[in-house]
Amino acid sequence: MISIAGWWRHLRLRLTGKELILTGKCRQCGACCRRLQLEQSRRWLRSHRAFKRLVKDHPEFNRFEICGRDRQGLLVFNCTKLGADNRCHDYDQRPQLCRDFPHKGIFFCGGALPPGCGYKITEGVPFETHLRKARNKSGSHS
């Protein structure tokens, strides 16, 4: 679910020709498996009942347990498959949410990468844009 700040960020990126660029690698800190939020039908989970519906519809989410709420009242979850070594003990069966981490979309919904994460998301002009401009420039001089 995109936030107002996320909508502005998206608009600014489009107007400046920039994109979010992902760099880095996993440091196996386990932070992405702790204190995360889940959504269903493009809505953040706020109730135990909503979480039970999510698990009923998508049993792979039974790996998460509610560990509290954030300042906005949204449910916060930990993954029960995270071992003491900060590795997933069910890696081959992890849900798509985990496979897609880190997803650039978290910045459009008001989220951020967890502290200590080895990934970094920055704003920049994609290489393809620079390449296309260089090709157009050299092609116009022929």
Side-chain angles (χ1 to χ4, degrees):
M1 184 164 49
I2 194 164
S3 68
I4 292 173
W7 184 84
W8 280 111
R9 177 177 234 172
H10 180 73
L11 180 62
R12 184 173 42 78
L13 289 171
R14 295 226 24 189
L15 291 173
T16 60
K18 294 182 179 179
E19 292 181 7
L20 294 175
I21 300 171
L22 177 66
T23 57
K25 65 180 183 175
C26 181
R27 291 185 181 158
Q28 297 179 343
C29 67
C32 57
C33 304
R34 295 184 197 98
R35 303 214 36 90
L36 56 112
Q37 293 170 324
L38 301 174
E39 65 177 355
Q40 182 179 29
S41 302
R42 302 185 55 90
R43 301 190 82 161
W44 297 110
L45 297 182
R46 294 181 177 272
S47 70
H48 292 266
R49 186 173 51 202
F51 178 54
K52 286 180 183 178
R53 278 195 312 268
L54 174 66
V55 171
K56 182 181 176 193
D57 294 343
H58 304 279
E60 66 272 19
F61 284 94
N62 69 357
R63 71 189 311 124
F64 298 104
E65 65 183 3
I66 299 169
C67 65
R69 291 186 181 275
D70 71 359
R71 286 181 252 148
Q72 298 173 340
L74 302 176
L75 293 177
V76 178
F77 300 85
N78 285 335
C79 182
T80 60
K81 304 299 183 183
L82 181 66
D85 60 357
N86 286 328
R87 293 178 181 236
C88 181
H89 288 188
D90 194 23
Y91 187 80
D92 291 336
Q93 301 302 314
R94 70 195 188 282
Q96 196 64 44
L97 165 78
C98 303
R99 293 174 190 274
D100 291 344
F101 185 85
H103 193 279
K104 296 175 190 177
I106 63 175
F107 284 94
F108 297 119
C109 63
L113 292 174
C117 181
Y119 290 103
K120 185 176 180 182
I121 298 179
T122 56
E123 295 179 8
V125 178
F127 176 74
E128 294 82 17
T129 302
H130 290 292
L131 185 60
R132 187 175 53 251
K133 285 181 180 179
R135 284 182 179 160
N136 289 343
K137 196 174 192 178
S138 67
S140 65
H141 297 293
S142 304

